[in-house]
Amino acid sequence: MSLLEIEGLESFYGASQALFGVTLDVREGEVVALMGRNGMGKTTTIGSVLGLVRPRGGSIRFAGRAIAGQRPHRIARLGIGLVPEGRRCFPNLTVHENLVAAARGGTWTTDKVVALFPRLGERRDQYASTLSGGEQQMLAIGRALMTNPSLLILDEATEGLAPVIRQDIWRAIRTLKTTGQSILVVDKTLSELLPVADRCFVLEKGTTVFSGTPETLTPDLQDRYLGV
Ligand code: ATP
């Protein structure tokens, strides 16, 4: 069954149309890659799912319910956890407090987050403001997991981080996949993204131009849609 189903989505910023018919879906337990060059509509698609951008056309269904146009806090409560571009944590709370503040009933605990990201255990009582960028990103992922999301959305979660930290984050994504966590991920590192993805969707100028398994996204197509 599809957990998230987007069909013919059209979204605007004021009078300016950014999405012209985005279609994508994420099934239970899948890792789905949302791809496309800069400015093609990935973040706007995610913003539309979360109610941060108001769609004017098409449909968005989550766990069988139409959610387009609902308020962000209501949508989040249905079980969507976002790790936004440019991580967001409370700087004046410790790592542990940040995690606890995000908790919503379910199976995720601070111990499970620390098992996924041992560095966060080492930094447990440090203020988030004192963490490195990579550690803050781990904390942002941990916070999203503490809400026990049915769908985890990662928007450029490894952008601008040191290679060793990126590896930790990709390892965590692969671990989450083995637990059956459904994930929608936007990232530019194809060498990491393609092996972990079950399916890919590519956007161009606000429209879905490709959907299929990573194997069918041939080097030619990668070059056409994602090459610089
Ligand atoms: P990137 O990888 O650069 O984040 P993206 O694929 O996520 O790119 P979007 O950020 O969704 O692309 O942008 C899609 C289109 O919407 C672009 O033409 C962009 O200029 C426009 N856009 C994005 N945010 C706004 C905004 N706040 N106001 C007006 N136009 C916007």
Side-chain angles (χ1 to χ4, degrees):
M1 186 190 110
S2 283
L3 186 59
L4 176 68
E5 253 180 307
I6 303 177
E7 261 178 48
L9 180 65
E10 296 183 25
S11 293
F12 292 70
Y13 292 100
S16 147
Q17 187 165 3
L19 302 185
F20 296 83
V22 169
T23 293
L24 82 84
D25 69 299
V26 182
R27 301 178 194 135
E28 298 269 4
E30 264 190 331
V31 175
V32 168
L34 176 57
M35 307 160 91
R37 292 191 192 92
N38 287 345
M40 292 304 175
K42 304 178 296 294
T43 299
T44 305
T45 299
I46 291 172
S48 305
V49 170
L50 288 152
L52 304 170
V53 181
R54 196 168 262 266
R56 291 207 208 148
S59 67
I60 308 175
R61 298 184 73 79
F62 182 70
R65 291 194 207 190
I67 59 167
Q70 289 192 14
R71 297 199 173 275
H73 67 275
R74 291 198 55 181
I75 294 174
R77 249 190 271 150
L78 295 174
I80 303 181
L82 171 70
V83 180
E85 214 175 346
R87 52 217 156 249
R88 273 176 224 154
C89 309
F90 294 117
N92 299 327
L93 295 185
T94 65
V95 165
H96 184 73
E97 288 166 346
N98 259 283
L99 292 174
V100 170
R104 226 178 282 146
T107 59
W108 278 92
T109 59
T110 55
D111 285 350
K112 281 181 73 175
V113 171
V114 167
L116 192 64
F117 294 118
R119 270 167 183 267
L120 293 182
E122 295 161 23
R123 307 272 183 270
R124 184 184 188 278
D125 297 316
Q126 266 178 241
Y127 289 114
S129 58
T130 67
L131 300 179
S132 72
E135 289 162 354
Q136 288 188 31
Q137 189 62 278
M138 292 175 185
L139 183 55
I141 297 172
R143 283 177 48 82
L145 290 170
M146 288 296 285
T147 69
N148 287 281
S150 321
L151 177 66
L152 179 67
I153 301 183
L154 301 166
D155 191 0
E156 308 269 15
T158 68
E159 182 93 339
L161 302 181
V164 44
I165 300 278
R166 286 175 180 229
Q167 288 308 318
D168 285 346
I169 290 177
W170 285 111
R171 195 175 306 122
I173 293 171
R174 289 192 293 268
T175 302
L176 289 171
K177 177 176 167 141
T178 65
T179 68
Q181 174 72 54
S182 310
I183 305 175
L184 178 63
V185 51
V186 173
D187 205 281
K188 297 203 171 67
T189 319
L190 297 189
S191 58
E192 296 285 359
L193 183 55
L194 291 177
V196 77
D198 295 298
R199 289 184 302 135
C200 314
F201 291 84
V202 179
L203 303 188
E204 197 166 69
K205 296 186 183 146
T207 305
T208 303
V209 290
F210 172 89
S211 67
T213 61
E215 297 73 40
T216 58
L217 186 62
T218 59
D220 265 7
L221 291 173
Q222 289 177 29
D223 196 48
R224 184 188 315 167
Y225 296 132
L226 308 168
V228 273

